[in-house]
Amino acid sequence: MLETARLWRDHDPDPDTRARLTELIDAAAGGDPGAVADLGSRFQGPLTFGTAGLRGEVGAGESRMNVAVVTRATAGLARYLGDTVGHDARVVVGCDARHGSDAFFDATTEVLAAQGFTVFALPRRLPTPLTAYATRALDCDAGVMITASHNPPADNGYKVYLGGRATDESGRGVQIISPADADIADRIAQAPAADEVPRDRDAVIDAGDDIVRDYILRTAGLRAGSGACPVRVVLTPLHGVGGTLAREVLRSAGIDDVHTVAAQFAPDPDFPTVAFPNPEEPGALDLALDLARDVRADVVIALDPDADRCSVATPAGDNGWRQLTGDEIGWLLGEQAAQDPTRDGDTLACSVVSSRLLEKIAAHHDLRFAATLTGFKWIARTPGLRFGYEEAIGYCTDPQSVRDKDGIGAMVRVIDLVESLARDGRTLTDALDALARRHGLHATAPMSIRVEDTGRIASMMRRLRTAEIGDLAGSPVVEIVDLASGSGDLPPTDAMVVRTAADDRVIVRPSGTEPKLKCYLEVVLDCPDGAIPHDEAARRLEMLSTDVAALLGV
């Protein structure tokens, strides 16, 4: 280990991480057990490049996110593009405001430019959807976004899109999938040491403000209403990079009654006011909801740190507020898209772990429906896509311009929906109730099991696969599908689906980005005489949760 660490250290171009490795190497060589353990965690193997690109804790060593790792990853990507497209490839690069983002942005742009590519550097500290937009709008063969989305503050990441000549039309401006990920990973493994990879700062092209302005105008145009919008909005970007751009989009859309959470507006990579920088986490919206009560807002919008996700809260009476689930937002935006004859595309799509209600909405409006594997690398590839979502508050509401989830675009669509409903004296809750009366109440709930030892995830999946499951929530099991073998139009994935005679459904799968086992619970209940059985749904979800926990041994 010491030999490996010394070799890496000697080729690390970053003086800060090089100095940190020197301290650890010297301490470990002296027998310090803490240094030995720390160094071991930094050299447990190269950070894996996959369909999410790279993601990990920022720090020194081959198993961390740092300039050396990003430099070698970019060298591998450059070789892949040279082999598949040619040395006239066009690439656009963006970054958020996390720890290390500026240095990783510089390394990425300069390594690509040194290969003779046309490299567009977006303005720094802007959202992920802008990079996805620019990959298509600038007709680039690839796009790179430096971000770890809503991961913990210590993390950063490297996200790759393909476009132009590097993929077919269905994948233009979409995140990479197999075999591109494996092909890039192979070339990263063959890359030279980081300090031997050439860099060229002078050849990088400043993309300027025009592409940002184009995105603002396109996204603002998603509002169907005209004139001044009467909706009063509370907005929080949760210390991420979405705040300023979101305000500019809202202003261009005529949505001016906007109140921002001051303590969370400026980018801050430490995310000081939240325990975890994800709008879905308990407590993340507390400051926004307090402000909403003070100003009597009509809707609360929360963006995650790179603004590709959007959470929504709506008034619930007696100055209370209700945060909608990711599925509930997806149903509302799906129904909105289905009713809009001006939209391109004839297909509504969602991930297989999302609710089954979107399929019923599509059928009601004579539209096509597609269920995909989890992630927008799959959803955004759906032919004829009009709208797509995943239950983890990700929404693609303008697939012709952004082939990825876009929290800012979703924000505009939600506010437009609030405005149109209000003209009829209705609310988002009323719209959800109408969907329940038409299609049945679909109630969903997530259940995540976070682990320290990732080996526990595989053991829990084995336990589930070998269990004899007779019933769940008091209803006989009528179907068990192991998606590891594929199912229907879905390629194989590590997940299990269990359905009961009562039409309850449970899907269990390992998280692709975090040390979690994720369970997705759904119950479906009729609404006799128009009454919405929320209490019964909550009771059944609780029963499902208890039974699933017992099956997994937790």
Side-chain angles (χ1 to χ4, degrees), residues 243-315:
T244 298
L245 190 63
R247 283 299 310 262
E248 292 176 0
V249 168
L250 292 172
R251 191 176 298 114
S252 295
I255 304 168
D256 293 317
D257 193 354
V258 179
H259 303 258
T260 58
V261 179
Q264 297 176 333
F265 193 78
D268 187 332
D270 293 320
F271 308 105
T273 68
V274 292
F276 198 89
N278 181 349
E280 294 182 290
E281 291 291 320
L285 266 62
D286 284 355
L287 293 179
L289 295 177
D290 288 343
L291 179 59
R293 294 182 187 98
D294 289 344
V295 302
R296 296 185 175 275
D298 298 306
V299 67
V300 169
I301 302 290
L303 304 174
D304 77 334
D306 69 329
D308 66 348
R309 289 173 168 86
C310 172
S311 188
V312 177
T314 188

Side-chain angles (χ1 to χ4, degrees), residues 517-554:
L517 187 70
K518 305 187 78 172
C519 310
Y520 306 84
L521 317 179
E522 181 175 34
V523 302
V524 182
L525 298 172
D526 293 333
C527 300
D529 303 321
I532 314 294
H534 292 294
D535 290 344
E536 172 63 12
R539 187 184 71 83
R540 289 196 65 79
L541 285 172
E542 182 64 28
M543 293 171 64
L544 274 181
S545 177
T546 299
D547 288 352
V548 170
L551 277 173
L552 297 172
V554 296

Side-chain angles (χ1 to χ4, degrees), residues 324-339:
L324 303 184
T325 68
D327 279 314
E328 287 172 333
I329 301 168
W331 305 334
L332 292 169
L333 293 177
E335 177 71 14
Q336 180 192 50
Q339 292 182 14

Side-chain angles (χ1 to χ4, degrees), residues 215 217 264 283 400 430 549:
Y215 171 83
L217 293 176
Q264 297 176 333
Q400 280 63 49
D430 294 329

Side-chain angles (χ1 to χ4, degrees), residues 11 68 71-73 75-76 79 187-198:
H11 290 283
T71 297
R72 296 188 73 249
R79 184 174 172 185
R187 288 163 174 81
I188 293 172
Q190 300 166 23
D195 63 342
E196 298 171 0
V197 175

